Amino acid sequence: MYYGRQHMAATPGQAIEGIEQSPTVSRWNYLRIGGLAALTEAAIYVAGIAYFLVILDFASVSGALQQVELFVANETSLYAMYLLIYVVFGIVLVALVLALHERLKADAPMLMRATTAFGLI
């Protein structure tokens, strides 16, 4: 038979080309990454809630002028928090959506395509 390459017999200790590992064999498979992404997103939500309610104490400010003064006084920390809750959360969300897609694509393929599209957008 012609295999396109020179055919060589492999010993048990050698890797055989053309065989890919299953996603469940790797230590960092999609389920583990998806779980880590979900926990990270939950931690980001809790950090955002704690920042706005406890640290910034936004609920105690009533007037518009007081809100502006509060935002000006905390501009750097607000910038960092918005970066965390929007940009970092969005990046981690991509990993979570792709992991969920891989996990659930066999059960409901049409629904998973739609939800993956919305999740990535």
Side-chain angles (χ1 to χ4, degrees):
M1 292 183 131
Y2 179 72
Y3 290 103
R5 293 187 193 178
Q6 184 178 3
H7 181 66
M8 295 175 48
T11 62
Q14 292 177 326
I16 298 174
E17 290 184 43
I19 298 176
E20 295 181 23
Q21 284 188 342
S22 168
T24 58
V25 174
S26 170
R27 181 169 182 249
W28 287 102
N29 59 26
Y30 65 88
L31 290 177
R32 212 174 272 238
I33 291 172
L36 184 61
L39 291 174
T40 302
E41 297 212 341
I44 289 173
Y45 265 129
V46 169
I49 291 169
Y51 176 77
F52 283 105
L53 294 180
V54 177
I55 297 170
L56 195 62
D57 197 21
F58 184 72
S60 68
V61 178
S62 58
L65 183 59
Q66 290 174 338
Q67 287 178 351
V68 171
E69 289 172 350
L70 181 68
F71 291 154
V72 169
N74 297 296
E75 182 180 359
T76 304
S77 65
L78 275 169
Y79 177 78
M81 187 52 65
Y82 281 129
L83 183 72
L84 178 70
I85 63 177
Y86 287 111
V87 177
V88 175
F89 187 89
I91 292 169
V92 175
L93 182 63
V94 170
L96 178 60
V97 167
L98 293 176
L100 285 173
H101 176 80
E102 283 297 316
R103 174 70 175 98
L104 300 173
K105 70 181 175 184
D107 295 333
M110 291 301 290
L111 179 63
M112 276 315 302
R113 282 189 219 137
T115 56
T116 301
F118 281 114
L120 291 176
I121 290 172

mmCIF file of all heavy atoms in Angstrom, residues 72-94:
data_model
loop_
_atom_site.group_PDB
_atom_site.id
_atom_site.type_symbol
_atom_site.label_atom_id
_atom_site.label_comp_id
_atom_site.label_asym_id
_atom_site.label_seq_id
_atom_site.Cartn_x
_atom_site.Cartn_y
_atom_site.Cartn_z
ATOM 1 N N VAL A 72 -15.564 61.919 40.136
ATOM 2 C CA VAL A 72 -14.308 62.638 39.927
ATOM 3 C C VAL A 72 -13.292 62.249 41.000
ATOM 4 O O VAL A 72 -12.105 62.059 40.710
ATOM 5 C CB VAL A 72 -14.552 64.168 39.906
ATOM 6 C CG1 VAL A 72 -13.244 64.935 39.956
ATOM 7 C CG2 VAL A 72 -15.345 64.545 38.665
ATOM 8 N N ALA A 73 -13.750 62.119 42.229
ATOM 9 C CA ALA A 73 -12.843 61.763 43.328
ATOM 10 C C ALA A 73 -12.314 60.338 43.193
ATOM 11 O O ALA A 73 -11.225 60.029 43.679
ATOM 12 C CB ALA A 73 -13.560 61.928 44.665
ATOM 13 N N ASN A 74 -13.051 59.470 42.541
ATOM 14 C CA ASN A 74 -12.656 58.059 42.403
ATOM 15 C C ASN A 74 -12.423 57.667 40.955
ATOM 16 O O ASN A 74 -12.681 56.525 40.573
ATOM 17 C CB ASN A 74 -13.738 57.168 43.013
ATOM 18 C CG ASN A 74 -13.908 57.410 44.477
ATOM 19 O OD1 ASN A 74 -13.000 57.161 45.255
ATOM 20 N ND2 ASN A 74 -15.064 57.923 44.864
ATOM 21 N N GLU A 75 -11.920 58.577 40.155
ATOM 22 C CA GLU A 75 -11.784 58.336 38.720
ATOM 23 C C GLU A 75 -10.883 57.146 38.399
ATOM 24 O O GLU A 75 -11.234 56.299 37.569
ATOM 25 C CB GLU A 75 -11.239 59.594 38.032
ATOM 26 C CG GLU A 75 -11.100 59.458 36.549
ATOM 27 C CD GLU A 75 -10.569 60.722 35.896
ATOM 28 O OE1 GLU A 75 -10.323 61.721 36.590
ATOM 29 O OE2 GLU A 75 -10.406 60.692 34.674
ATOM 30 N N THR A 76 -9.747 57.034 39.056
ATOM 31 C CA THR A 76 -8.811 55.956 38.746
ATOM 32 C C THR A 76 -9.378 54.591 39.134
ATOM 33 O O THR A 76 -9.291 53.634 38.356
ATOM 34 C CB THR A 76 -7.476 56.188 39.471
ATOM 35 O OG1 THR A 76 -6.979 57.475 39.114
ATOM 36 C CG2 THR A 76 -6.453 55.136 39.085
ATOM 37 N N SER A 77 -9.971 54.507 40.318
ATOM 38 C CA SER A 77 -10.522 53.220 40.730
ATOM 39 C C SER A 77 -11.750 52.848 39.893
ATOM 40 O O SER A 77 -11.972 51.669 39.609
ATOM 41 C CB SER A 77 -10.869 53.225 42.219
ATOM 42 O OG SER A 77 -11.904 54.126 42.494
ATOM 43 N N LEU A 78 -12.529 53.821 39.473
ATOM 44 C CA LEU A 78 -13.667 53.550 38.586
ATOM 45 C C LEU A 78 -13.180 53.032 37.229
ATOM 46 O O LEU A 78 -13.767 52.105 36.659
ATOM 47 C CB LEU A 78 -14.510 54.800 38.378
ATOM 48 C CG LEU A 78 -15.568 55.081 39.431
ATOM 49 C CD1 LEU A 78 -16.133 56.487 39.252
ATOM 50 C CD2 LEU A 78 -16.678 54.066 39.352
ATOM 51 N N TYR A 79 -12.121 53.634 36.728
ATOM 52 C CA TYR A 79 -11.545 53.189 35.457
ATOM 53 C C TYR A 79 -11.096 51.730 35.562
ATOM 54 O O TYR A 79 -11.398 50.912 34.690
ATOM 55 C CB TYR A 79 -10.377 54.091 35.063
ATOM 56 C CG TYR A 79 -9.689 53.658 33.804
ATOM 57 C CD1 TYR A 79 -10.238 53.935 32.552
ATOM 58 C CD2 TYR A 79 -8.483 52.963 33.839
ATOM 59 C CE1 TYR A 79 -9.612 53.538 31.391
ATOM 60 C CE2 TYR A 79 -7.847 52.554 32.683
ATOM 61 C CZ TYR A 79 -8.425 52.840 31.460
ATOM 62 O OH TYR A 79 -7.807 52.434 30.310
ATOM 63 N N ALA A 80 -10.400 51.401 36.654
ATOM 64 C CA ALA A 80 -9.925 50.031 36.853
ATOM 65 C C ALA A 80 -11.091 49.059 36.992
ATOM 66 O O ALA A 80 -11.068 47.949 36.443
ATOM 67 C CB ALA A 80 -9.018 49.970 38.077
ATOM 68 N N MET A 81 -12.120 49.462 37.722
ATOM 69 C CA MET A 81 -13.267 48.574 37.922
ATOM 70 C C MET A 81 -14.042 48.379 36.623
ATOM 71 O O MET A 81 -14.470 47.266 36.309
ATOM 72 C CB MET A 81 -14.186 49.119 39.016
ATOM 73 C CG MET A 81 -15.285 48.173 39.385
ATOM 74 S SD MET A 81 -14.771 46.486 39.813
ATOM 75 C CE MET A 81 -13.824 46.762 41.280
ATOM 76 N N TYR A 82 -14.241 49.423 35.854
ATOM 77 C CA TYR A 82 -14.920 49.277 34.570
ATOM 78 C C TYR A 82 -14.100 48.417 33.607
ATOM 79 O O TYR A 82 -14.663 47.648 32.828
ATOM 80 C CB TYR A 82 -15.226 50.632 33.942
ATOM 81 C CG TYR A 82 -16.443 51.297 34.530
ATOM 82 C CD1 TYR A 82 -16.396 52.602 34.983
ATOM 83 C CD2 TYR A 82 -17.647 50.621 34.634
ATOM 84 C CE1 TYR A 82 -17.512 53.213 35.525
ATOM 85 C CE2 TYR A 82 -18.761 51.218 35.175
ATOM 86 C CZ TYR A 82 -18.691 52.517 35.618
ATOM 87 O OH TYR A 82 -19.797 53.109 36.159
ATOM 88 N N LEU A 83 -12.792 48.545 33.655
ATOM 89 C CA LEU A 83 -11.929 47.694 32.839
ATOM 90 C C LEU A 83 -12.122 46.223 33.234
ATOM 91 O O LEU A 83 -12.244 45.353 32.369
ATOM 92 C CB LEU A 83 -10.468 48.104 33.007
ATOM 93 C CG LEU A 83 -9.454 47.357 32.159
ATOM 94 C CD1 LEU A 83 -9.593 47.783 30.700
ATOM 95 C CD2 LEU A 83 -8.053 47.638 32.661
ATOM 96 N N LEU A 84 -12.215 45.971 34.528
ATOM 97 C CA LEU A 84 -12.407 44.607 35.005
ATOM 98 C C LEU A 84 -13.783 44.063 34.631
ATOM 99 O O LEU A 84 -13.894 42.966 34.076
ATOM 100 C CB LEU A 84 -12.224 44.551 36.525
ATOM 101 C CG LEU A 84 -12.443 43.191 37.176
ATOM 102 C CD1 LEU A 84 -11.320 42.241 36.807
ATOM 103 C CD2 LEU A 84 -12.549 43.343 38.677
ATOM 104 N N ILE A 85 -14.838 44.840 34.907
ATOM 105 C CA ILE A 85 -16.181 44.282 34.728
ATOM 106 C C ILE A 85 -16.672 44.300 33.284
ATOM 107 O O ILE A 85 -17.666 43.633 32.976
ATOM 108 C CB ILE A 85 -17.215 44.956 35.659
ATOM 109 C CG1 ILE A 85 -17.380 46.425 35.354
ATOM 110 C CG2 ILE A 85 -16.875 44.726 37.098
ATOM 111 C CD1 ILE A 85 -18.444 47.119 36.195
ATOM 112 N N TYR A 86 -16.008 45.016 32.416
ATOM 113 C CA TYR A 86 -16.408 44.989 31.003
ATOM 114 C C TYR A 86 -15.388 44.278 30.121
ATOM 115 O O TYR A 86 -15.735 43.343 29.399
ATOM 116 C CB TYR A 86 -16.673 46.401 30.477
ATOM 117 C CG TYR A 86 -17.953 46.980 31.007
ATOM 118 C CD1 TYR A 86 -17.947 48.040 31.897
ATOM 119 C CD2 TYR A 86 -19.172 46.443 30.634
ATOM 120 C CE1 TYR A 86 -19.119 48.553 32.403
ATOM 121 C CE2 TYR A 86 -20.361 46.946 31.133
ATOM 122 C CZ TYR A 86 -20.324 48.005 32.018
ATOM 123 O OH TYR A 86 -21.489 48.504 32.520
ATOM 124 N N VAL A 87 -14.149 44.688 30.152
ATOM 125 C CA VAL A 87 -13.153 44.126 29.234
ATOM 126 C C VAL A 87 -12.719 42.728 29.659
ATOM 127 O O VAL A 87 -12.780 41.781 28.870
ATOM 128 C CB VAL A 87 -11.944 45.073 29.103
ATOM 129 C CG1 VAL A 87 -10.873 44.475 28.220
ATOM 130 C CG2 VAL A 87 -12.383 46.427 28.559
ATOM 131 N N VAL A 88 -12.279 42.586 30.908
ATOM 132 C CA VAL A 88 -11.830 41.272 31.373
ATOM 133 C C VAL A 88 -12.990 40.285 31.376
ATOM 134 O O VAL A 88 -12.840 39.137 30.949
ATOM 135 C CB VAL A 88 -11.181 41.384 32.772
ATOM 136 C CG1 VAL A 88 -10.828 40.024 33.326
ATOM 137 C CG2 VAL A 88 -9.943 42.273 32.708
ATOM 138 N N PHE A 89 -14.148 40.728 31.829
ATOM 139 C CA PHE A 89 -15.329 39.861 31.829
ATOM 140 C C PHE A 89 -15.644 39.397 30.407
ATOM 141 O O PHE A 89 -15.976 38.236 30.183
ATOM 142 C CB PHE A 89 -16.527 40.606 32.423
ATOM 143 C CG PHE A 89 -17.736 39.749 32.611
ATOM 144 C CD1 PHE A 89 -17.926 39.040 33.780
ATOM 145 C CD2 PHE A 89 -18.702 39.647 31.615
ATOM 146 C CE1 PHE A 89 -19.046 38.246 33.967
ATOM 147 C CE2 PHE A 89 -19.821 38.852 31.789
ATOM 148 C CZ PHE A 89 -19.990 38.159 32.969
ATOM 149 N N GLY A 90 -15.557 40.288 29.436
ATOM 150 C CA GLY A 90 -15.842 39.924 28.045
ATOM 151 C C GLY A 90 -14.862 38.913 27.487
ATOM 152 O O GLY A 90 -15.252 37.989 26.762
ATOM 153 N N ILE A 91 -13.595 39.055 27.832
ATOM 154 C CA ILE A 91 -12.586 38.101 27.357
ATOM 155 C C ILE A 91 -12.829 36.724 27.967
ATOM 156 O O ILE A 91 -12.770 35.705 27.278
ATOM 157 C CB ILE A 91 -11.178 38.626 27.676
ATOM 158 C CG1 ILE A 91 -10.881 39.866 26.822
ATOM 159 C CG2 ILE A 91 -10.115 37.555 27.447
ATOM 160 C CD1 ILE A 91 -9.647 40.621 27.236
ATOM 161 N N VAL A 92 -13.119 36.695 29.254
ATOM 162 C CA VAL A 92 -13.380 35.423 29.931
ATOM 163 C C VAL A 92 -14.683 34.812 29.419
ATOM 164 O O VAL A 92 -14.814 33.589 29.326
ATOM 165 C CB VAL A 92 -13.393 35.622 31.463
ATOM 166 C CG1 VAL A 92 -13.782 34.358 32.190
ATOM 167 C CG2 VAL A 92 -12.031 36.099 31.941
ATOM 168 N N LEU A 93 -15.640 35.648 29.054
ATOM 169 C CA LEU A 93 -16.915 35.157 28.525
ATOM 170 C C LEU A 93 -16.719 34.376 27.233
ATOM 171 O O LEU A 93 -17.420 33.398 26.990
ATOM 172 C CB LEU A 93 -17.879 36.323 28.299
ATOM 173 C CG LEU A 93 -19.275 35.974 27.802
ATOM 174 C CD1 LEU A 93 -20.009 35.117 28.825
ATOM 175 C CD2 LEU A 93 -20.055 37.237 27.512
ATOM 176 N N VAL A 94 -15.761 34.768 26.412
ATOM 177 C CA VAL A 94 -15.487 34.032 25.177
ATOM 178 C C VAL A 94 -15.079 32.599 25.502
ATOM 179 O O VAL A 94 -15.569 31.641 24.885
ATOM 180 C CB VAL A 94 -14.395 34.744 24.342
ATOM 181 C CG1 VAL A 94 -13.924 33.876 23.192
ATOM 182 C CG2 VAL A 94 -14.904 36.071 23.831
#
